[in-house]
Amino acid sequence: MRVQLVISEGKYQGTVVEIKRDLFLIGNDPACQLRINAPGISRQHCAVVTRTNKVFVRNLGSGEAIVKVNDQLVGAGEEMPLHANDSLTVGPAKFKVVFKEKQLHQRDAEEWALKALDQAFQHSEHDADEGDPLTRALESRPSSAADAAAQLLAQFALQRGVVRGRLRIGEEHGVTTIRFNDIHLVEEAEIQSIKKELLQAIQRPRMRVLLDFKNVKRMSSAAAEMIREVYHLVTGNRGQLALCRIRPELLSGLEEAGLLKLIRHFRDKNAAVQLTEW
């Protein structure tokens, strides 16, 4: 995987930095692949790390070394995942993270089309008073072919879900469906990032939440603990939680963690959303 950092501010704005190795050091040490001679930059400030087709930034400095991803601080010795179009702050320097595009396979093309559909219905903060565009489309009476098409697209978008970070979140029969987009729920930094997005999506009381593991091929014990935390939050808010489409080889790990005694799981997603009680 080839990754680029594009300088987003200052004298060298627009300059592209190619990352051509799995461990790319940034700092003012001559041994660093990217040398930044500026106040606030330590000798080996941070590293961009590529492994298993995923990209991370690790803060290598002391507590004074500032590293941020989308304005979120990365603590000394800590690691955080990087994604396309993220902003990366290294001391006073600011970059945009760019991944080289790969040719789209059939499944990738499907995901791209769904994201394009999602973007057509997403709204900015200043539109909040006008209501959600999905809701407006569904509640309006179609007066033209275009309006009817908008209603169909709205129904489709609700069922397929909207991509929010690492999750695809939808609504079916009063059930909030949350599908993990990641194949591997293993890396500690990845799991922390996913957990933050997940917990933000399930704050409402009395929610019925279905976690969909269709894409997941590997899970760690940290992922199991994340599921346990979700269970306690949902049930603590007088809601219900269920799991679906978990690969057979992953069920044993969840059983060892005691989660299958707490949470009902289904092989079929549609069967789960059709039930009124879990």
Side-chain angles (χ1 to χ4, degrees), residues 222-236:
E225 287 306 308
M226 174 182 69
I227 298 168
R228 189 187 306 277
E229 190 169 340
V230 170
Y231 168 79
H232 286 302
L233 178 59
V234 171
T235 56

Side-chain angles (χ1 to χ4, degrees), residues 38-182:
I41 297 293
S42 57
R43 288 179 60 81
Q44 293 186 352
H45 197 101
C46 67
V48 177
V49 184
T50 304
R51 58 178 181 269
T52 60
N53 292 324
K54 293 183 180 179
V55 185
F56 306 84
V57 62
R58 176 173 284 274
N59 187 337
L60 301 175
S62 65
E64 298 177 354
I66 295 177
V67 180
K68 296 181 181 178
V69 177
N70 299 326
D71 292 326
Q72 183 176 349
L73 277 171
V74 182
E78 294 182 353
E79 194 173 80
M80 187 175 292
L82 291 174
H83 305 288
N85 298 318
D86 278 351
S87 64
L88 173 63
T89 302
V90 180
K94 294 184 181 295
F95 304 90
K96 178 181 178 181
V97 180
V98 177
F99 289 3
K100 282 287 188 180
E101 295 289 343
K102 295 182 178 180
Q103 186 175 359
L104 290 176
H105 297 293
Q106 182 174 355
R107 179 171 176 176
D108 296 326
E110 179 189 3
E111 288 298 321
W112 177 87
L114 287 172
K115 287 180 182 178
L117 177 63
D118 297 336
Q119 291 169 0
F121 284 100
Q122 289 179 355
H123 59 292
S124 60
E125 292 295 327
H126 66 268
D127 292 329
D129 292 339
E130 299 178 10
D132 190 295
L134 285 174
T135 303
R136 294 201 304 270
L138 288 168
E139 291 180 349
S140 63
R141 171 174 288 183
S143 58
S144 66
D147 289 342
Q151 284 195 344
L152 289 174
L153 284 173
Q155 291 282 3
F156 177 74
L158 281 173
Q159 291 178 0
R160 297 306 299 265
V162 174
V163 173
R164 296 180 184 171
R166 315 299 295 279
L167 308 171
R168 177 174 289 281
I169 303 176
E171 191 79 21
E172 297 182 50
H173 302 287
V175 175
T176 299
T177 61
I178 302 179
R179 191 179 83 189
F180 297 99
N181 293 331
D182 287 70

